[in-house]
Amino acid sequence: MVSDPMQVLEPVYDEENVKKILEMVKDPEIPVLAIEDMGIVRDIEFEEGGVQVSIMPTYSGCPAMDVIAEDVRSALLLHGYKKIEVKTVLSPAWSSDFITDKGKKCLQEYGIAPPVSAGSKGAMLGIDPVGCPQCKSTNTRVVSEFGSTACKALYKCDDCLEPFDYFKCV
Amino acid sequence: MTENEMHFEYLLRLGDNCAILGQRLAEWCGKAPVLEEELALMNVGLDLIGQARLLLDHAGKVEGAGRDEDKLAFFRDTQEWRNLLLIEQPNGDFAKTMARQMFFDCFQYLQFEALLDSSDKTLSEIAAKSLKEITYHRRHSTNWVIRLGDGTEESHEKMQAAIDELWGFVPEMFDMDEVEDAMVAAGIGADVNALRPRWDEMINSILEEATLKRPEDTWSVRGSRVGKHSEHLGFLLAEMQFLPRAYPDAKW
Ligand SMILES: [Zn+2]
């Protein structure tokens, strides 16, 4: 049989498979970070020949959420899924602790200091030291708790003198 | 009012505070004293607009009349808005913006903390989400009040003037009325009157660290609960609502 290049992909109704597809969806503001690794995919459900993906917003006003929902939809469409619903859920409230270890590594390599554990009050209060993603020094200071996007703070390294973004703990 | 109408009204109060303050902060865009501060003000404003969207969306569903967040934000006139008078006051100088913000951040922090226990599940979820953001907002505005209050002679003077000017808008935050009472009784709302002592404690310690004087309670104004606003709100709405009213079918 000759394989048809225009062949429509048959969707696989399996969570692992959907997760693999979602690996390709990146945070539009941090293009190295897959939304899976960001920990914002809450649920993947299948019903009546359709797939439903629930995502959690990082911040209430995160303008990336609409883009992410669209990107999830198109990634699934490309893989042959037809009935697709992308839902935003608020509970549990997203926490920077949901970022996977792989996600933290991606951030670090991209030059964004990954969040210190949100579990520790010190991190939330900005007391715990934040490591410079360039030289790894912890001799750093906050320039502003609000950075280029809602999820980031602005830091400066007092050793290598480079400014850098820090992914805030929430 | 039926309980459902009061529930709707209550959610409007919460959502409108966020919407109008978010809009006010957006007015600083391109005019903030330093770039980092510009980013901070826009970030806080964006959080607030996000919170407003969640609350107004929920309010629209509770109302059940088919109004969504956009309809509620863009197609209500001044008398239909329920935000506190404090919130709509013009930005003034940076000190006034920070004083207004600090008063509200401390209030909103306590109010939303109490709403974590709300029997309205969606509301308690919104409160949990927002509280993480408010924690940052409150620290930011508090730091500025302290830094400017305990700064130069000029910054101290300006910050004291801002605190004095806005003090009369404080009592309205803690007013109880039929709607607030009913919502507390139903387990939906937070008893704001009971939050006043903790707010006072917070403010007193901030003012003390900032070497600022707590103003005397002299005048105070009220009216937002019944749609009686200062003239400032009309101008704000005219700008905020212009586009969707001029082009009601516009999509973006
Ligand atoms: Zn460094």
Side-chain angles (χ1 to χ4, degrees):
Chain A
M1 209 178 110
V2 185
S3 79
D4 174 6
M6 295 299 285
Q7 145 195 39
V8 176
L9 286 166
E10 268 307 309
V12 183
Y13 294 97
D14 166 75
E15 192 174 325
E16 283 311 308
N17 195 62
V18 172
K19 274 190 177 166
K20 222 175 284 158
I21 295 167
L22 294 184
E23 275 285 308
M24 301 184 307
V25 181
K26 312 285 182 192
D27 181 329
E29 279 163 347
I30 313 169
V32 288
L33 195 57
I35 57 164
E36 268 284 310
D37 286 321
M38 199 138 141
I40 62 172
V41 179
R42 169 89 189 119
D43 254 325
I44 297 167
E45 285 164 303
F46 303 97
E47 45 190 45
E48 298 161 37
V51 57
Q52 189 185 68
V53 179
S54 309
I55 51 178
M56 296 172 271
T58 50
Y59 282 76
S60 306
C62 178
M65 288 316 286
D66 291 338
V67 180
I68 291 173
E70 269 318 302
D71 289 350
V72 167
R73 191 183 308 281
S74 17
L76 291 169
L77 271 174
L78 265 174
H79 286 80
Y81 293 88
K82 293 213 173 56
K83 274 177 65 187
I84 303 158
E85 195 191 340
V86 185
K87 229 176 44 172
T88 308
V89 289
L90 286 178
S91 185
W94 181 84
S95 153
S96 46
D97 280 350
F98 296 173
I99 300 178
T100 63
D101 288 341
K102 182 171 158 238
K104 285 182 185 162
K105 223 177 125 240
C106 289
L107 283 172
Q108 178 88 28
E109 283 163 3
Y110 191 59
I112 299 173
V116 184
S117 165
S120 81
K121 203 78 183 158
M124 192 99 168
L125 294 173
I127 301 164
D128 284 0
V130 171
C132 166
Q134 311 297 338
C135 75
K136 313 289 180 273
S137 163
T138 49
N139 184 18
T140 61
R141 64 191 157 88
V142 195
V143 176
S144 171
E145 286 201 307
F146 298 90
S148 53
T149 62
C151 52
K152 286 179 274 167
L154 224 53
Y155 269 69
K156 189 179 176 206
C157 175
D158 279 335
D159 277 339
C160 73
L161 305 179
E162 286 291 325
F164 65 91
D165 271 338
Y166 167 60
F167 205 105
K168 287 198 287 209
C169 287
V170 287
Chain B
M1 267 196 270
T2 66
E3 178 157 328
N4 197 64
E5 283 164 354
M6 288 197 272
H7 191 178
F8 170 67
E9 184 81 12
Y10 187 72
L11 292 169
L12 278 189
R13 291 175 182 183
L14 298 173
D16 287 357
N17 282 340
C18 301
I20 300 299
L21 191 53
Q23 177 72 15
R24 272 283 180 242
L25 291 179
E27 291 171 11
W28 274 104
C29 193
K31 299 183 205 157
V34 288
L35 182 63
E36 287 78 7
E37 205 34 50
E38 169 125 351
L39 287 175
L41 292 168
M42 295 312 114
N43 267 290
V44 175
L46 193 59
D47 282 346
L48 286 161
I49 288 170
Q51 294 165 13
R53 288 186 60 184
L54 297 171
L55 288 161
L56 293 181
D57 172 72
H58 182 42
K61 285 175 180 143
V62 166
E63 185 193 30
R67 289 200 278 183
D68 63 7
E69 50 182 286
D70 282 347
K71 199 105 193 154
L72 287 169
F74 298 126
F75 295 89
R76 274 184 299 147
D77 289 329
T78 319
Q79 319 85 272
E80 297 166 275
W81 281 77
R82 294 294 177 261
N83 59 281
L84 295 160
L85 297 178
L86 171 74
I87 299 301
E88 73 205 33
Q89 295 313 301
N91 287 335
D93 59 11
F94 187 68
K96 188 174 164 191
T97 294
M98 280 304 131
R100 183 187 65 201
Q101 193 69 33
M102 184 272 283
F103 284 165
F104 180 69
D105 290 343
C106 290
F107 169 76
Q108 199 197 15
Y109 184 88
L110 294 170
Q111 187 183 34
F112 278 44
E113 189 183 51
L115 289 173
L116 291 176
D117 298 325
S118 173
S119 61
D120 174 344
K121 191 167 154 285
T122 305
L123 179 55
S124 85
E125 287 177 5
I126 296 172
K129 179 86 220 154
S130 307
L131 209 50
K132 293 180 177 221
E133 295 157 2
I134 304 166
T135 305
Y136 278 98
H137 302 171
R138 187 177 65 151
R139 194 158 65 223
H140 172 249
S141 58
T142 299
N143 285 344
W144 271 114
V145 170
I146 293 169
R147 189 165 157 193
L148 294 175
D150 191 17
T152 65
E153 202 176 309
E154 189 186 355
S155 72
H156 175 88
E157 241 170 61
K158 286 187 171 175
M159 190 43 89
Q160 185 68 58
I163 299 279
D164 293 346
E165 189 185 340
L166 294 173
W167 195 249
F169 295 101
V170 168
E172 189 188 38
M173 296 197 280
F174 302 98
D175 272 351
M176 296 299 284
D177 65 359
E178 187 202 5
V179 173
E180 300 285 324
D181 285 337
M183 288 301 105
V184 171
I188 293 170
D191 183 347
V192 281
N193 191 38
L195 300 176
R196 180 77 203 248
R198 282 184 62 206
W199 187 87
D200 278 327
E201 230 173 80
M202 273 182 198
I203 299 299
N204 289 344
S205 99
I206 293 166
L207 293 181
E208 196 191 330
E209 201 180 336
T211 71
L212 295 165
K213 271 210 310 282
R214 183 184 162 104
E216 299 291 328
D217 297 322
T218 49
W219 61 276
S220 67
V221 279
R222 291 163 163 87
S224 70
R225 300 276 169 79
V226 288
K228 287 187 183 154
H229 288 276
S230 57
E231 70 273 29
H232 307 297
L233 184 63
F235 293 100
L236 181 148
L237 292 179
E239 188 170 290
M240 184 174 98
Q241 300 178 329
F242 170 76
L243 190 102
R245 288 200 183 213
Y247 305 96
D249 300 322
K251 297 248 184 299
W252 61 84

